[in-house]
Amino acid sequence: MKVILFGATGMIGRGVLRECLLDDRVTAVLTVGRAPTGLAHDKLREIRHDDLLDLGAIEGELSGYDACFFCLGVSSAGMREADYRRITYDFTLSVGRTLARLNPGSTFVYVSGVGTDAQGRSMWARVKGATENALLALPLEAYMFRPGYIQPMHGVTSRTRLYRVAYVVVRPLYPILRRMFPSAVTTTERIGRAMIAVAEHGAPSRVLDPSGINALAP
């Protein structure tokens, strides 16, 4: 399968990219973003593009793909709702609508989060919920991944210093967390493998929590 990946330089995106490059089912990976991944691989091609609200200049490069793994996102901490919505909803739907037109029926996997709710009290939950609902209405095989705690694996790190420190502290405890809270935790490796599984043969539900993600990538 041929995959487009957005957000390949973030923690989740780097984990997903690693799994795509390792998996023989994935024959080609196209990353789209503002910064290079710094990786070189026979299956990997990168496009530098700054404005996800205007994909006209690169539309010709986006046709013929089987799946899109959308891992782009930001924390809502300290952000005004309008700014958060622009990145979370507007960017995502710009890509989703473009791919629905260019590759109708292809798979689109969106990384959301536990607690997402279009009617929720939290700003981030409402915006992500609206984003999920809009994606599910498109002519795509759209799946919403709602991970909880994500443990980075295989040298993948967060770009946020505070998170990097937290992950180092929690890493030795992750096996215990996995046993005690199997429905609340997952890893970058499992997210990547689950996305590939969804693109290959779908999933029982269009909305997948950590236990659903882990079930696809045991």
Side-chain angles (χ1 to χ4, degrees), residues 90-200:
D90 294 347
F91 285 6
T92 307
L93 266 295
S94 175
V95 172
R97 288 166 180 153
T98 299
L99 295 181
R101 175 165 47 82
L102 297 175
N103 306 308
S106 61
T107 299
F108 192 102
V109 181
Y110 173 62
V111 179
S112 184
V114 166
T116 294
D117 182 355
Q119 306 300 320
R121 299 179 63 182
S122 298
M123 179 269 284
W124 73 266
R126 292 195 307 273
V127 174
K128 280 189 173 289
T131 305
E132 287 188 350
N133 291 342
L135 288 172
L136 290 168
L138 294 176
L140 294 166
E141 292 293 314
Y143 293 88
M144 309 298 116
F145 275 32
R146 293 182 177 180
Y149 175 80
I150 305 168
Q151 181 64 42
M153 305 288 287
H154 308 295
V156 172
T157 60
S158 171
R159 289 181 293 183
T160 304
R161 183 178 181 277
L162 180 61
Y163 290 172
R164 288 198 302 271
V165 173
Y167 287 130
V168 169
V169 172
V170 174
R171 180 181 294 277
L173 304 175
Y174 177 73
I176 298 173
L177 293 175
R178 186 175 59 189
R179 288 194 299 270
M180 295 181 63
F181 309 104
S183 63
V185 301
T186 188
T187 67
T188 51
E189 178 184 49
R190 280 183 151 179
I191 289 174
R193 288 166 53 195
M195 286 189 180
I196 296 169
V198 164
E200 183 182 34

